[in-house]
Amino acid sequence: MADDIFKALADPTRRKILDELTEQRGQTLFEICARLSMKHQLGISRQAVSQHLAVLEAAGLVESRREGRYKFHDLNTAPLKRIAERWTMPDESESTP
Amino acid sequence: MRIHLSSVFVDDQDKALRFYTEVLGFVKKTEVPIGEDRWLTVVSPEAPDGTELLLEPAGHPAVKPYRDALAKDGIPATAFAVDDVHAEFDRLRGLGVRFTQEPLEMGPVTTAVLDDTCGNLIQIVHQA
């Protein structure tokens, strides 16, 4: 599970997808593709974006839900908290002002 | 050469005519009976001699899987130009229209995507 997170975060396009999902939750594949192409000039195919989303989903960073005929993607930052907790220094809480 | 006609598949022509005229604001241009269905087109009141939109029956067996796949990924069947996407979004949402993409400013264009209740997603767009 942890390795999946690092693999997912290692790619700049996938980090852009997470940035965009931070701005607006509940995006369709079409909206994510539109944001990547128009806001970031990333000319990648829908199939490629779909594969990036699958990697993010496998890492738990993106969750998808079906609503009627539609599929929306949401950001889930819980796995990132586990990364931070993994390397928490024992005395960190005491030194925090 | 110019684009004379574009079409969307609709589940029910009567329901579609109501949505495309009463909600979106187009006007009926032609209605010709063809068997159980009709050749039914609407146009923009701003361009009555412009491109017609054919409200085409969705009975063909290929239509459902095609449209379901597009809808799942949020891909619009077609796009209509408006003066102000934000204003149309507010107006249409007030009428109960469901949007799968809220107004999104992307450089020179602003877009939003709505459900036409007849099986399609429609993009509205304006240029800044």
Side-chain angles (χ1 to χ4, degrees), chain A:
Chain A
M1 184 63 177
D3 284 346
D4 286 349
I5 297 171
F6 296 116
K7 183 190 168 201
L9 292 172
D11 183 273
T13 301
R14 290 199 283 272
R15 294 198 296 271
K16 283 276 188 294
I17 292 172
L18 297 180
D19 289 342
E20 292 302 322
L21 287 173
T22 307
E23 195 171 290
Q24 172 71 47
R25 64 192 304 275
Q27 292 184 36
T28 62
L29 175 64
F30 179 78
E31 178 170 358
I32 294 167
C33 292
R35 285 169 175 263
L36 292 177
S37 64
M38 297 300 290
K39 292 177 71 178
H40 301 285
Q41 286 75 47
L42 288 173
I44 50 179
S45 70
R46 281 185 187 131
Q47 287 78 6
V49 175
S50 198
Q51 286 167 5
H52 281 310
L53 282 169
V55 174
L56 290 166
E57 273 195 68
L61 293 165
V62 166
E63 290 176 345
S64 63
R65 56 190 155 88
R66 291 293 292 256
E67 263 183 40
R69 307 172 63 218
Y70 310 116
K71 184 182 180 187
F72 295 100
H73 302 85
D74 293 304
L75 178 69
N76 178 19
T77 55
L80 299 177
K81 293 195 186 87
R82 290 202 289 277
I83 293 178
E85 285 159 8
R86 178 172 166 177
W87 286 292
T88 302
M89 300 293 280
D91 59 346
E92 205 169 69
S93 57
E94 293 162 29
S95 63
T96 306

Side-chain angles (χ1 to χ4, degrees), chain B residues 21-110:
Chain B
T21 57
E22 293 170 17
V23 179
L24 295 185
F26 295 123
V27 292
K28 185 167 78 178
K29 173 117 179 186
T30 56
E31 183 169 17
V32 180
I34 302 173
E36 290 183 3
D37 301 316
R38 287 159 285 163
W39 180 265
L40 181 62
T41 72
V42 295
V43 290
S44 167
E46 299 164 34
D49 297 319
T51 306
E52 294 176 47
L53 182 73
L54 173 65
L55 304 175
E56 185 164 7
H60 191 284
V63 173
K64 186 178 183 325
Y66 165 74
R67 286 201 307 178
D68 286 350
L70 292 187
K72 175 172 161 283
D73 286 338
I75 300 169
T78 190
F80 301 140
V82 298
D83 292 332
D84 181 337
V85 165
H86 291 279
E88 276 296 323
F89 172 74
D90 289 340
R91 181 183 81 81
L92 292 170
R93 199 171 53 168
L95 292 170
V97 174
R98 162 106 200 257
F99 280 77
T100 62
Q101 182 208 296
E102 296 191 4
L104 178 61
E105 283 161 36
M106 300 180 294
V109 297
T110 300

